[in-house]
Amino acid sequence: MAEVLVLVDHVDGAVRKPTLELLTLARRIGDPVAVALGAGAGATAGVLGEHGAVRVLTADAPEFAEYLVVPKVDALQAAFEAVSPVAVLVVSSAEGKEVAARLALRVGSGVITDATDVEAGEQGPVATQAAFAASYTTRSRVSRGVPVITVKPNSAPVEPAAAAGAVESLSVSFGAAATGTKVTSRTPRESTGRPELTEAAIVVSGGRGVNGAENFPLIEALADSLGAAVGASRAAVDAGWYPHTSQVGQTGKSVSPQLYIASGISGAIQHRAGMQTSKTIVAINKDAEAPIFELVDYGVVGDLFAVVPQLTEEINTRKG
Amino acid sequence: MSLRIVVCVKYVPDATGDRRFADDLTLDREDVDGLLSELDEYAVEQALQIADGADDAEITVVTVGPEDAKDALRKALSMGADRAVHVEDDDLHGSDVMGTSLVLAKAVEKTGYDLVICGMASTDGVMGVLPALLAERLGVPQVTLLSEVAVAGGVVTGRRDGDTASEQVEASLPAVVSVTDQSGEARYPSFKGIMAAKKKPVESLDLDDLGLDADEVGLAGAWTAVDSATERPARTAGTIVKDEGEGGRQLAEFLVGQKFI
């Protein structure tokens, strides 16, 4: 059967959930062959095999950590040439998109980014995307070369499917460009203990209505009751109430969780652009005219300082 | 020695307007106002700051787009860029990111550069891959998604904030840089700047000038195809309740019904 390359997103061997989602999608097109790079690459094989990877190509070299993006492109290209895949799937992270695009250019293929679904089609894989702040849904395909597609987290369920997951070492020779941009230091983001924003199944966000950094613990408590990530609107971030890494929106992070809860967020177009593909949308806002209410599956017109604590308490009670 | 900075900008439909697709499934530019992509304003700002810190620097702003795209160039010139290059050709209509990056690479090479600065993504397509493609095509380092950037002694340094870590990165010039909206608030053009911009040179180039064939770009030369674009049905009206003391509990009930709790 035709093989599909899947670039593995992992941290020291711990495979991140969006990669397991990719394996589910890859199986619709062919046999997934995973490519795991960097420290801990070999340790990913077990979980990748349990989720359908027939083979796991691994490579480790200092270059993957010491230089930006290009070493991974070199390695993915080596895998591409070794496997001759019918498609390449990569997670739509900032780095994932850059790696995918450069690979596509090198191998003479078109690239599609931020797909929210991928299906097999008569002329090759068909990708679904959201356009113009999700006011449109498009279906696209790569018309030249081998489709290279990046997929947003939460676009597919994680479905276990046992496969061989045979580990093979991938031979990579780095080109001159690989060492062009040196990473001189790296500070891991301090763990909040919460899921990462872009891949969380539930996101709870606060905006201007939260009215100060000192009130964000209300939002955090609600997030923790649901095992959710915390987001913030640009207004809240610009005011310094929450870190900019948590900004959801056009100029921040694009999220597509199963459930999005907006508290004290009016729903300006720039915010909507970053969250409108969420499956279920809930808003709490005291302004009944706030545009966010046009999007919601469920909205509460009311003071978030009353509604959010009551909701949190109710959830915690029900969880027992 | 003069530092040659090229800023790549895009003329995009105003996101607050009614953005839609035309019959050929490309962007409909007729019914919505365009403007300089907000994310590119940050690139212009960083170019101006880097130029301020250099002995001698020249900023050229480059765009690929229809006649109206000159508006984006004028905005950048009024902010303080020195001159502009407008690549305009009917055959460019419908170019995908591969075609656009090819045209930009040719235009940047023709202009001459030590440093290319881009916004992190356009505010219409929002792919965020053009800077990386430009670096690949030009064969120079990519130093992308920087929230802080500085240039000294022929080296560009910056901070790249990723999902799991914040990295300090550096590369020797020439290089392609992209900056995020965290890199620093973009200045407003002054009246003096707006008046001065009217006199600044805007060079027009077409595909012949860049040595490109029509079939390498545009819809015909695109490596991707959009098969359909469907306007999303307006969300069916959700349930909206007014909090009269039970709003939180009612919402919890809804979440239970949806199996989130």
Side-chain angles (χ1 to χ4, degrees):
Chain A
M1 195 172 172
E3 294 187 312
V4 178
L5 275 190
V6 173
L7 180 61
V8 176
D9 185 8
H10 71 100
V11 178
D12 294 328
V15 178
R16 301 175 78 194
K17 182 166 147 271
T19 298
L20 303 180
E21 297 167 8
L22 285 191
L23 290 171
T24 301
L25 292 174
R27 294 204 304 274
R28 298 177 182 174
I29 308 166
D31 287 330
V33 175
V35 179
L37 307 172
T44 62
V47 68
L48 295 172
E50 289 162 19
H51 291 84
V54 295
R55 293 195 278 156
V56 180
L57 311 182
T58 64
D60 191 12
E63 281 85 350
F64 294 122
E66 289 173 9
Y67 298 92
L68 204 62
V69 173
V70 186
K72 289 180 182 165
V73 182
D74 287 352
L76 194 56
Q77 186 180 9
F80 186 95
E81 283 157 8
V83 168
S84 297
V86 292
V88 181
L89 300 184
V90 180
V91 176
S92 268
S93 62
E95 182 186 67
K97 288 200 280 189
E98 292 183 331
V99 171
R102 293 188 72 142
L103 171 80
L105 178 57
R106 285 187 188 184
V107 301
S109 295
V111 63
I112 290 174
T113 59
D114 292 319
T116 56
D117 199 10
V118 180
E119 294 161 288
E122 279 177 21
Q123 296 168 279
V126 177
T128 304
Q129 293 165 286
F132 301 148
S135 57
Y136 277 83
T137 302
T138 63
R139 285 166 62 80
S140 308
R141 66 202 151 70
V142 169
S143 52
R144 175 177 152 161
V146 175
V148 179
I149 301 172
T150 78
V151 182
K152 287 177 84 166
N154 292 314
S155 294
V158 173
E159 289 169 4
V167 179
E168 298 165 37
S169 163
L170 175 69
S171 163
V172 184
S173 55
F174 296 109
T179 54
T181 309
K182 191 169 176 52
V183 178
T184 52
S185 73
R186 178 176 289 116
T187 314
R189 192 166 304 300
E190 257 180 62
S191 173
T192 58
R194 300 192 181 93
E196 212 279 311
L197 187 57
T198 51
E199 61 186 57
I202 302 178
V203 173
V204 177
S205 283
R208 197 186 297 277
V210 176
N211 205 24
E214 67 278 14
N215 299 324
F216 254 88
L218 274 184
I219 303 297
E220 292 177 327
L222 173 57
D224 292 343
S225 74
L226 290 162
V230 176
S233 72
R234 177 145 183 199
V237 168
D238 283 352
W241 302 342
Y242 220 67
H244 65 77
T245 46
S246 302
Q247 184 189 324
V248 172
Q250 176 127 52
T251 62
K253 291 197 168 133
S254 168
V255 300
S256 194
Q258 298 298 319
L259 171 63
Y260 188 83
I261 303 181
S263 304
I265 292 176
S266 66
I269 184 80
Q270 288 80 2
H271 187 76
R272 290 157 63 155
M275 48 66 78
Q276 204 158 359
T277 54
S278 304
K279 309 292 181 295
T280 299
I281 297 174
V282 167
I284 301 157
N285 199 303
K286 63 185 177 190
D287 176 9
E289 304 296 316
I292 191 90
F293 285 124
E294 294 164 17
L295 303 181
V296 298
D297 298 285
Y298 197 94
V300 180
V301 179
D303 184 353
L304 73 90
F305 293 99
V307 176
V308 169
Q310 188 181 66
L311 172 60
T312 307
E313 188 188 333
E314 189 68 19
I315 293 166
N316 286 331
T317 306
R318 283 174 183 267
K319 284 196 308 192
Chain B
M1 200 181 74
S2 175
L3 179 69
R4 296 167 301 169
I5 305 173
V6 176
V7 186
C8 299
V9 303
K10 189 173 183 186
Y11 181 72
V12 300
D14 186 345
T16 60
D18 199 9
R19 295 179 295 177
R20 54 182 65 250
F21 286 91
D23 291 344
D24 65 354
L25 301 181
T26 64
L27 167 67
D28 182 351
R29 289 184 182 268
E30 293 299 319
D31 294 333
V32 60
D33 290 336
L35 39 70
L36 169 61
S37 171
E38 182 200 336
L39 290 166
D40 294 341
E41 291 184 16
Y42 295 95
V44 175
E45 177 62 36
Q46 290 309 309
L48 292 166
Q49 290 191 21
I50 289 166
D52 278 347
D55 291 340
D56 180 21
E58 182 184 52
I59 301 173
T60 305
V61 52
V62 177
T63 198
V64 178
E67 169 69 23
D68 291 351
K70 282 200 172 61
D71 290 356
L73 296 175
R74 287 287 170 209
K75 173 82 184 280
L77 291 173
S78 66
M79 289 173 72
D82 299 301
R83 64 189 190 98
V85 173
H86 183 190
V87 185
E88 186 185 5
D89 198 307
D90 289 345
D91 289 326
L92 288 167
H93 174 78
S95 294
D96 68 355
V97 73
M98 291 302 184
T100 304
S101 66
L102 174 63
V103 176
L104 271 177
K106 294 286 184 190
V108 165
E109 274 173 340
K110 189 174 171 71
T111 302
Y113 67 99
D114 301 299
L115 181 63
V116 180
I117 308 184
C118 306
M120 60 185 277
S122 70
T123 54
D124 53 353
V126 218
M127 292 180 80
V129 300
L130 186 124
L133 289 173
L134 203 48
E136 176 78 29
R137 288 195 184 273
L138 294 171
V140 301
Q142 73 161 79
V143 198
T144 48
L145 294 167
L146 303 184
S147 45
E148 280 173 10
V149 58
V151 173
V155 173
V156 54
T157 53
R159 191 180 85 231
R160 175 173 163 116
D161 293 322
D163 285 348
T164 56
S166 180
E167 295 165 333
Q168 290 289 332
V169 294
E170 69 172 41
S172 296
L173 300 184
V176 173
V177 162
S178 76
V179 297
T180 74
D181 62 322
Q182 298 299 323
S183 58
E185 204 58 43
R187 69 194 63 185
Y188 287 104
S190 62
F191 178 70
K192 202 175 138 200
I194 293 168
M195 295 313 288
K198 294 182 195 291
K199 295 186 187 134
K200 290 177 179 173
V202 178
E203 183 185 1
S204 278
L205 299 176
D206 62 15
L207 289 176
D208 281 347
D209 295 325
L210 298 178
L212 291 170
D213 291 330
D215 60 5
E216 293 180 87
V217 297
L219 264 184
W223 297 2
T224 47
V226 180
D227 287 335
S228 69
T230 333
E231 196 161 4
R232 281 205 179 194
R235 274 181 176 266
T236 44
T239 308
I240 296 183
V241 301
K242 191 168 186 321
D243 177 38
E244 284 167 345
E246 290 295 310
R249 272 186 280 275
Q250 286 168 289
L251 177 47
E253 205 60 54
F254 168 78
L255 295 178
V256 168
Q258 301 288 313
K259 302 199 172 12
F260 287 115
I261 302 174

